[in-house]
Amino acid sequence: MLCSIRANSNEKVFALTSDKSHGPFLCPKCRQEVVIRKGKIKIHHFAHKPPAMCSHGKGETEAHRNCKMSIYSALKTKPNVQALELEKDFGPVVADVYCLIDNVPVAIEVQRSNLSVNNITQRSEEYSKLGIYVLWIGLHDSTVKKQIDNKQCSPKAWEKWCHAAYFGRVYYWYQEDLLLPVHFAAHKLYVKESEWYDPDGNHQSAGGYERFSKRYKTPVATSLLSIANSFKAIPKSAWQQGTVSIPNCRLYVDRLRKWW
Ligand SMILES: [Zn+2]
């Protein structure tokens, strides 16, 4: 977690601008004491003292914290962004970054490793009840880069969910408020041609054609999009296909036409 409550003043403070001497600090969720971690390289943050039962800040990696902080800092400079807050607590959900973009309430949620599709579904429903449009994003890490370069990927459950919810795109955070939209196109596999003679001496052949892979997709990326300037609010009705189930929700979706 990048923010905590300063016990002495009861105000929300940033790890970046806090010092050990300002402590004690409390977790905004469970009100247990948290410790400040200020490394030379790592993003400054707060952490529960173990053992902690509270899930606030759990499963966050350095990359995740860096992403949140960078989005927050970038949005701070945009004239059409108001009410910007990092780790905004709405009770049932804490938004990684929350703000009004051209007066539309938006929650930006960065995917973290321990978040299941059930969690994503529930959180999206909660935001919808609050009248907030949610933007789920993944991290543009070495795995994603490699998949785009190799033109082959096997989407994870959360990626399938986002792809279905966001009309055929998944957003990966690139830098500042810039996201890389990626579409998962059908992936063709070539079935090699082979010939042989059966025991009766008849000529047989097979293969020599392409088929669609059930497991793999071809990721197709397009140009970077700015969170502050390239998206619009869309209410989405509940929808189901195969194993993917999308609830009634409010989504923040890009304005691009299909690029694939
Ligand atoms: Zn806590």
Side-chain angles (χ1 to χ4, degrees), residues 185-202:
H187 188 75
K188 278 182 188 170
L189 293 172
Y190 183 70
V191 182
K192 220 174 147 186
E193 194 173 0
S194 59
E195 312 182 44
W196 70 95
Y197 287 91
D198 68 15
D200 298 328
N202 297 316

Side-chain angles (χ1 to χ4, degrees), residues 31-247:
R31 296 269 158 178
Q32 295 293 307
E33 195 177 339
V34 290
V35 288
I36 187 162
R37 300 242 167 96
K38 287 175 91 82
K40 280 209 173 80
I41 302 161
K42 288 198 165 190
I43 301 282
H44 301 173
H45 63 279
F46 297 97
H48 287 99
K49 288 179 177 175
M53 300 302 286
C54 175
S55 64
H56 186 60
K58 208 175 164 187
E60 281 186 359
T61 58
E62 174 71 0
H64 183 273
R65 285 191 280 264
N66 177 40
C67 171
K68 285 204 284 193
M69 196 67 218
S70 184
I71 291 174
Y72 173 82
S73 304
L75 291 179
K76 221 172 164 180
T77 66
K78 309 285 179 186
N80 60 331
V81 173
Q82 272 93 39
L84 180 65
E85 205 174 312
L86 191 61
E87 297 172 354
K88 167 100 169 164
D89 191 353
F90 289 99
V93 274
V94 179
D96 284 333
V97 179
Y98 170 81
C99 60
L100 295 172
I101 303 176
D102 297 315
N103 292 318
V104 174
V106 179
I108 300 155
E109 285 275 1
V110 185
Q111 219 290 326
R112 62 198 84 170
S113 52
N114 65 340
L115 210 55
S116 68
V117 164
N118 272 348
N119 283 151
I120 294 176
T121 307
Q122 281 169 13
R123 291 168 79 117
S124 300
E125 278 181 307
E126 291 293 347
Y127 284 121
S128 186
K129 283 183 212 160
L130 293 160
I132 296 168
Y133 294 82
V134 64
L135 175 56
W136 283 100
I137 58 180
L139 295 168
H140 185 243
D141 58 15
S142 55
T143 311
V144 174
K145 283 177 206 162
K146 210 168 132 189
Q147 288 171 343
I148 294 170
D149 288 347
N150 294 344
K151 299 186 171 64
Q152 180 176 312
C153 66
S154 177
K156 297 188 183 80
W158 75 266
E159 289 171 314
K160 285 182 189 167
W161 191 95
C162 285
H163 198 262
Y166 291 90
F167 309 93
R169 48 270 258 173
V170 177
Y171 303 113
Y172 298 95
W173 176 71
Y174 193 78
Q175 64 183 36
E176 295 161 1
D177 82 323
L178 298 176
L179 306 181
L180 183 70
V182 174
H183 171 71
F184 299 143
H187 188 75
K188 278 182 188 170
L189 293 172
Y190 183 70
V191 182
K192 220 174 147 186
E193 194 173 0
S194 59
E195 312 182 44
W196 70 95
Y197 287 91
D198 68 15
D200 298 328
N202 297 316
H203 180 253
Q204 303 282 351
S205 68
Y209 57 86
E210 286 183 321
R211 68 170 176 86
F212 289 117
S213 170
K214 279 183 187 156
R215 183 176 169 200
Y216 294 111
K217 297 285 177 192
T218 305
V220 189
T222 184
S223 43
L224 297 171
L225 298 172
S226 149
I227 296 175
N229 299 312
S230 312
F231 288 76
K232 61 179 176 185
I234 287 184
K236 181 145 182 145
S237 313
W239 187 75
Q240 184 158 11
Q241 190 183 49
T243 54
V244 180
S245 177
I246 314 292

